Amino acid sequence: MCNNRHSTERRDTMQVCLNGHIVNADFHRHPELREDFCECCGEETITNCPNPECGKPILGNLRRATGFPLESRHSAPNFCPNCRESFPWARKEAAERLEEDTKESVDVLQRVFSKFHLMVQKLHTRRRGKKTLEVTDEYDLQDLLDVLLTPYFDGINSEESTPSYAGKSARIDFLIKEEGIGIEVKMTRKGLTAREVGDQLIIDIARYKEHPDCNTLICFIYDPSYKIKNRHPLIEDLQSQSTDALKVVVFINPS
Ligand SMILES: [Zn+2]
Ligand SMILES: [Zn+2]
């Protein structure tokens, strides 16, 4: 919105609650409508940008100097036009949207992972003995998952590296950048014990914790010959590595 208004126009200040409900868009003209707390949700109200380096009034209704209304504002702005910082309600909304999107994506991944072994078995029984993709190691596993996940995630990326941890950086198996979901896949094989898989994933988790774009890490362990006997302690151990900044979710299939 252009603030370069004619001198005969007056922009009032808006009083908004921290959840974004407009309490009074004519804060100066109608002092009788001021409220310290929102009657809708009970949250505290503000009239100025909360950024301590800014503090400019939040823009309310516009009138002519005579009082004639020129523009009535019906929704609280998302950003401060002075410092460009988003207001608390816009940040809250963005965080809620991200949480919702992340939950949906994790549900999709769970569905794919829960049928993974079944899909591999189907690949192994092709008509007329035609060639197929045998899933014998983590490369096969990654290629197959890459195909299976393509319809669900446009921005799925497997080219990035995790920041270096203990002097080493490694390629991320998959990263859904928009939602900040990293996917790390492991496949058990002869000579690779449950403990080693767990140890490898603990190192991966530490690495992902350093990644600025990752807030959820999905660990998928494909265990076709049931090498991992006690799955629950392993899942619990890995998931207990979660922090506020990185949530760890573990799936093992076939279950
Ligand atoms: Zn409110
Ligand atoms: Zn500001």
Side-chain angles (χ1 to χ4, degrees):
M1 187 164 305
C2 176
N3 293 317
N4 217 354
R5 294 289 181 178
H6 199 265
S7 59
T8 58
E9 296 173 359
R10 298 269 183 280
R11 172 72 73 182
D12 211 306
T13 293
M14 184 188 283
Q15 187 174 40
V16 194
C17 88
L18 294 175
N19 281 326
H21 300 123
I22 298 178
V23 173
N24 185 357
D26 288 300
F27 184 75
H28 296 295
R29 189 180 169 86
H30 288 297
E32 75 281 8
L33 298 178
R34 295 177 186 179
E35 299 289 355
D36 289 339
F37 300 97
C38 176
E39 65 172 3
C40 195
C41 69
E43 256 300 357
E44 188 190 325
T45 59
I46 58 170
T47 54
N48 292 66
C49 173
N51 174 3
E53 280 157 30
C54 173
K56 280 272 162 84
I58 301 170
L59 303 180
N61 290 343
L62 184 73
R63 292 171 189 274
R64 283 204 203 290
T66 57
F68 183 79
L70 290 173
E71 186 208 326
S72 299
R73 307 201 85 184
H74 299 293
S75 60
N78 288 329
F79 290 91
C80 170
N82 187 55
C83 68
R84 273 182 76 190
E85 211 158 269
S86 42
F87 287 124
W89 47 89
R91 281 202 296 273
K92 213 185 253 184
E93 237 181 70
E96 281 167 7
R97 247 194 332 265
L98 179 68
E99 197 176 312
E100 193 60 32
D101 289 350
T102 304
K103 200 181 158 295
E104 273 176 33
S105 296
V106 174
D107 286 349
V108 166
L109 292 168
Q110 179 172 20
R111 235 175 300 148
V112 172
F113 293 149
S114 69
K115 301 283 180 199
F116 191 80
H117 188 55
L118 190 63
M119 292 188 279
V120 171
Q121 284 175 321
K122 285 186 178 233
L123 268 179
H124 286 183
T125 51
R126 287 215 54 200
R127 285 172 181 81
R128 296 176 182 243
K130 304 231 6 155
K131 273 192 189 165
T132 194
L133 171 69
E134 300 262 356
V135 179
T136 57
D137 60 20
E138 272 165 28
Y139 295 110
D140 301 327
L141 175 57
Q142 285 174 11
D143 286 343
L144 180 55
L145 271 179
D146 205 352
V147 172
L148 293 172
L149 298 179
T150 296
Y152 301 108
F153 305 105
D154 282 339
I156 197 152
N157 190 333
S158 53
E159 300 301 315
E160 285 212 22
S161 296
T162 48
S164 90
Y165 174 78
K168 277 185 173 174
S169 66
R171 221 175 84 150
I172 286 182
D173 287 342
F174 297 99
L175 180 68
I176 305 163
K177 217 168 187 174
E178 277 146 35
E179 285 135 43
I181 301 176
I183 305 170
E184 196 58 43
V185 299
K186 297 279 173 225
M187 181 174 171
T188 55
R189 57 176 188 273
K190 214 177 164 191
L192 184 67
T193 62
R195 179 164 187 165
E196 282 166 328
V197 169
D199 288 349
Q200 284 180 8
L201 280 170
I202 298 262
I203 294 170
D204 291 330
I205 291 166
R207 224 182 256 137
Y208 277 87
K209 279 180 182 166
E210 306 291 317
H211 196 288
D213 291 329
C214 194
N215 50 47
T216 305
L217 175 63
I218 310 289
C219 303
F220 173 53
I221 306 171
Y222 180 43
D223 184 27
S225 45
Y226 298 90
K227 294 255 181 280
I228 303 171
K229 303 288 176 236
N230 295 318
R231 293 180 169 192
H232 273 290
L234 177 66
I235 292 173
E236 272 170 28
D237 187 27
L238 292 169
Q239 291 188 161
S240 74
Q241 305 288 317
S242 297
T243 58
D244 286 345
L246 186 80
K247 185 177 180 199
V248 180
V249 183
V250 180
F251 297 110
I252 304 179
N253 185 258
S255 47

